[in-house]
């Protein structure tokens, strides 16, 4: 089974596990240096749109090493449930993100390669196609 098939299998099993009232979907997440990962989200209908993204690489590796879905699924479900328990905390933090006194001690600069992160720049820039150059000016 390739990674895409594995992801779809997990998604189907999670849909059965969580049942009606939940939406389970796979999403591609753009991370630093041009890398993309596929993650699974489980959202409860009618609640805050906050959910952990569970990356499946370690579970796929376990599957390739001979572990069964019966062994892997409880660990994935536990990881999702633990993340959901923390969703309320995350929501409160997100609500406070506009308060400078609340966030000032949690902001850390880091450097990324512009060439390896152009796509991320385009995706996350306000107008969708802007990427700052070395002087902070927007390139078009």
């Amino acid at each position: 089974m390739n990674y895409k098939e594995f992801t779809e299998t997990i998604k189907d099993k999670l849909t059965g596990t969580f049942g009606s009232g939940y939406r389970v979907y796979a999403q591609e997440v753009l991370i630093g240096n041009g890398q993309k990962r596929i993650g699974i989200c489980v959202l409860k209908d009618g609640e805050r749109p906050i959910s952990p993204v569970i990356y499946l690489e370690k579970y796929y590796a376990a599957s390739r090493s001979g572990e069964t879905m019966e062994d892997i699924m409880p660990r994935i479900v536990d990881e999702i449930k633990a993340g959901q328990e923390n969703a309320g905390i995350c929501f409160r933090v997100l609500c406070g993100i506009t308060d400078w006194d609340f966030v000032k001690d949690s902001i850390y600069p880091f450097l990324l390669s512009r060439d390896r992160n152009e796509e991320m720049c385009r995706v996350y820039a306000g107008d969708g196609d802007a990427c700052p150059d070395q002087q902070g000016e927007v390139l078009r």
Side-chain angles (χ1 to χ4, degrees):
M1 173 180 327
N2 66 35
Y3 188 69
K4 183 177 172 107
E5 293 167 335
F6 179 81
T7 300
E8 286 301 314
T9 300
I10 296 297
K11 182 180 161 189
D12 292 343
K13 288 186 175 295
L14 287 171
T15 299
T17 298
F18 283 91
S20 64
Y22 286 85
R23 288 177 290 136
V24 180
Y25 60 96
Q27 70 179 36
E28 186 175 77
V29 178
L30 183 62
I31 59 175
N33 293 327
Q35 296 179 4
K36 296 177 183 177
R37 295 175 76 183
I38 302 293
I40 295 281
C41 289
V42 178
L43 290 171
K44 187 171 185 179
D45 292 339
E47 290 197 2
R48 298 178 193 105
I50 272 186
S51 173
V53 176
I54 306 302
Y55 298 109
L56 301 176
E57 288 93 344
K58 65 184 174 186
Y59 301 112
Y60 181 62
S63 170
R64 304 272 300 167
S65 296
E67 285 191 52
T68 66
M69 284 293 183
E70 290 75 27
D71 295 330
I72 294 170
M73 284 305 298
R75 296 197 317 260
I76 294 172
V77 170
D78 288 347
E79 187 173 347
I80 290 168
K81 286 182 178 179
Q84 289 173 334
E85 289 174 12
N86 291 323
I89 296 167
C90 293
F91 186 74
R92 286 190 297 280
V93 168
L94 286 174
C95 288
I97 204 162
T98 58
D99 178 359
W100 175 249
D101 288 329
F102 181 76
V103 299
K104 68 183 177 186
D105 295 328
S106 300
I107 297 175
Y108 303 95
F110 63 96
L111 301 175
L112 292 173
S113 164
R114 181 183 180 280
D115 293 339
R116 292 174 49 190
N117 289 286
E118 277 191 67
E119 183 177 3
M120 187 180 335
C121 236
R122 283 191 301 275
V123 169
Y124 295 116
D127 63 4
D129 68 346
C131 194
D133 67 7
Q134 290 82 354
Q135 287 76 38
E137 296 178 25
V138 174
L139 301 176
R140 299 207 185 265

